[in-house]
Structures are given as structure tokens and as C-alpha cells.
Amino acid sequence: MNVIQVEHIRKRFGNKDALSDVSFSIPKGEIFGFLGPSGAGKTTLIKILTAQINPTSGQASVFDQPAEMMHQSAQKMRFGILTDNSGLYERLTIEENLELYRQLYDLPRSSIDKVLQFVNLSGERKKKVSLLSKGMRQRVMLACAVIHEPELLFLDEPTSALDPVNSAHIYKGLRYLNQNGTTIFLTTHDMAEAELICNRVAILYQGQIQTIGSPKELKKQHRENVVCVELINGETCELPIDEGTADQIAAWMKRGLIDRLETKEPSLGDIFIKMTGSELL
Amino acid sequence: MSISLKRAGAIFVKDYKEFSRNYAVSIMLIFPIIFAFLLRGTGPSLVGAFGLVLNISFVILTSFAQACLIAEEKERNTLRSLMMTPATTMDVLIGKSSLVFVMSAVVLAIATYIYGYEPVGIWAFVAAIMFSIILYTAAGTICGLFSKTLLEASLSIIPVSIVFTGAPYAGMLLADDFPIFKVLEYAPNIQLVRLLNISNTASTTGDLLKPLLIILAWAVVLTIVSVVLYQRRLKDE
């Protein structure tokens, strides 16, 4: 069953296409990464899928309902969203912020304790939000987005500007949610992040999907057909993967001459550059 | 459109906590009381002065507080986060407006007591105050929606004070020379003063009903405009 289905979506702002003929689907239980540089159209797509804006043409459905229906309270109970411009109430404590969301989602009191444990902030619950670090704020915002244990979670650049420790906290939480059945739609320009947690990724550039697949598949597709060999005398060489190379490597191995042997696998960042001809910004 | 009183209540409680810790805005609560103290010496015969106290209070307390509550949520992106929860537009607007309504009602009741005004038609007076609070809350919502920051919201109530407080009084003075200004007679603040005056003399239900209905009409129109604008301003296109 597909949780998200997008068909030929186009969104035009003025005379510029923010999205152009975008199609893909996300099955239940997947962590799907939408990758691209700033301004590629990632946030626009999240806004379409959460009924904040309408597409110029094409169709999008979420939970088998047209995306425009996502403004209904019953649908909003089913998804959570964390965007780079989500906000918190600065004069309230972490607990008071979560209390608001608990009541809006009509949840039991225990949901606050549970979500605070999940984002590892149980000891900080009485702290005012205005006193929190950026990383802690991001974790509180994640807690607000997932307090109702949504079936689908939209994350727009969830770890942008976070240090590795805080990013690791967020990744751990996302994996936990996913293991418990939450489908995650993640946008990022951080290729390493996508590689680390996504089951499948789509690379978006200038409003169009350039490629789509699992990080493993994409790497395989774009792998250079060579093997790198480093000999014990420090000499390195790149050889084509064929029968002749296999014989050569076997001979070196018999003589104990090989120090390191690896296939040359591109990162998602390399694939992005190869497909778009531009660096990520 | 569905309304959940539970969700509106949650927003009310949240706003109460935020408001009570925001001294720059909550200090406005004392001004109507100060005005009532200062002007109470004018006595109940000067109903116009009491009308002015009420009208200024509606602007500097009701409209200002509502504009600040909305603008601050916009400035900090919390309004958009709120709109992504099951809370509907009406839940959010009712929750936010209820706090301003309760605060204004309580403060104006205290100010009325201090001033010593005793309305003859108590229910007409209470209804006029309630309709006016709704009207000025809607005006505050509109100001908040067009403001990006708290500072802008503070400035945005200046037009409200000009349109609903200053201009009608000035217009009424000029109405003899320029009959076109007679239209300002239908401004809500002029109608409120008229109603306050009526209640001090022998009056019929019809006399009371006319200003009440005019104020109600203003309240209904501005509330509808504020709800429509709220939905439009929060939809990116």
C-alpha cells in the first residue's frame, strides 16, 4: 500500500516552475529521502502534500485521499510535520509546549512522558524554551511533531545546522519511529544523512526528479567499473573489472603483494554532481 | 467548519500563560482602570467621557492584545505549526479571541465600577460592550495578520484608533458644515456613546435596539472579514 502517491505534479510560482512533472510513490513503512540543494522545490512538495498550497497541475494523494484533504482534522491526526520554520512558544516550558500539543491531539497525559523519553529530554521538561540550545529546540520540535505517534512524518531538513551529537539523537529517534510503523518523508541537502537513514531517495534538481532508488541501487548504477588495488610497496592502480584483472589480482594475492583492494563506489553526493553537473549548496 | 471547544480551550490556556509572562503587552490591562480613575471625577452626567474611556480601552487593550497575540505567533512561526495540528481555523481564532474577550470584559467591568457609571438598561449596556469587544477583537486579528512582527502589530493599531475612535468624533463636529460626515454617525463608537446617553433618559426598546444592532452589524462584518483574511493570509500561493 502506498502512503504517498504523486503523479505529474507541477507547481508554478510566477513564471518559474518550482516543481515540474514530479512523480513517485512511497509505500508504507519506508524512509524516503527527497534530496536536492536549497531552492530545488523540496519544501514546496511538502507544502502540497500537507495541503498548505495547491499544485498548478498533477495529482497527489496521501493515505489514498487527495492531498487537498489533508487540512481536515481527521487527516491531521495521521501525520506529523517538522519543518525548518516550525516554531515553539518561547515563554513556555518544554512541558507546557507539549501539553498544548497533547490536548490538541486529545492524548493521555502519559504521552508527554513517553515523547520526552523518546527525544531524551525527560530531565529538562521544566526548562523554558527560550533557554534551550538549537539542538534541544530541534528535539522539542520533533517531540511536538511525533507526540501523537503519526502514521506519516514529514521532515524538512530536520538536522540542518545541528552538530553531529544532536543529529545522531534525531536519527536514532527516526529509526525507532520507523521500526514502529511510521513512514517518513524526509527532505535534506545532506547526502550523508540520506545515505545513513533512507531506504530510498529521489534526487531533485531544478524542480525535476533526476533519479530515484535505494542508495545501494544508485551507487551500483553509478559505480565506476573499476577496482582499486594498493600493493604493499605503496603502488596503487585502477583496473577494469574483467577476467584479466581477476587473474592479475589472484596472482598478486598468491604472492602476498596486495595491501588493500576495493571497488570504487560513489557517494550520493558524487551521484548528485554527476547527474546535475553542479555542487550541492 | 468543525469547532472543538477542547482544542479552543487548550489554545486559550496556552495564550493565557504566554500573555501573563509577556509584560510588554499585559501592562495594557491597567490602562482602562487608570483612565476610569482619572475621569471618574467628571461624574455620571458626562457620559461622553465614559464612552471615550470605553472606546480607547477597546483599541489599546482589545485590539492591541489580539494584534500582538497573532503577530507574535506569525513572527515565531508557531501559528503555522498550530495550523498543522488538528486545530481548525475556528478553534485557533476562538481560542485566541476568548482570552482577549475575557480580559477585556473583566477589565471594563472594573473600569465601569470605578467610574461609577450605572446603566439604566443593564442588558443593553452589557450587550453593547460584548459586541464591541468582538468587533475590536476582529479588528485586532486583521491588524495582526497584516503585521510580521510585534513592533508592526503595535503600530498597526494606530489606524484602528483613527478609524474607530478619532475620526468619528472629529467627523461629527464637522457634520454641520459638511453633511457627508453625517455617515460617521454610524461608527460603532458613536453608537456606543449614543446608547450610553439613551440609558440615562426615558427610553423605549426601539431606542436601545438601533445602536445595538448597528454595533452588532459592525461586529459581524469585521468578524467575517477577519476569518476570511486569516484563511487567506495563512495559505501560501
Side-chain angles (χ1 to χ4, degrees), chain B residues 123-125 127-129 131-132 135 185-188 191-192 194-195 198 205-222:
Chain B
W123 293 113
F125 174 71
I129 295 293
F131 296 158
S132 297
L135 185 170
E185 210 180 290
Y186 293 94
Q191 292 300 318
L192 181 64
R194 188 154 292 176
L195 189 124
I198 289 169
T205 310
D207 294 335
L208 292 170
L209 219 53
K210 188 186 167 194
L212 257 184
L213 287 176
I214 292 173
I215 297 170
L216 177 63
W218 273 97
V220 170
V221 170
L222 278 188

Side-chain angles (χ1 to χ4, degrees), chain A residues 27-44:
Chain A
K28 189 171 162 47
E30 188 169 74
I31 302 183
F32 185 86
F34 216 54
L35 315 183
S38 305
K42 306 185 298 286
T43 305
T44 301

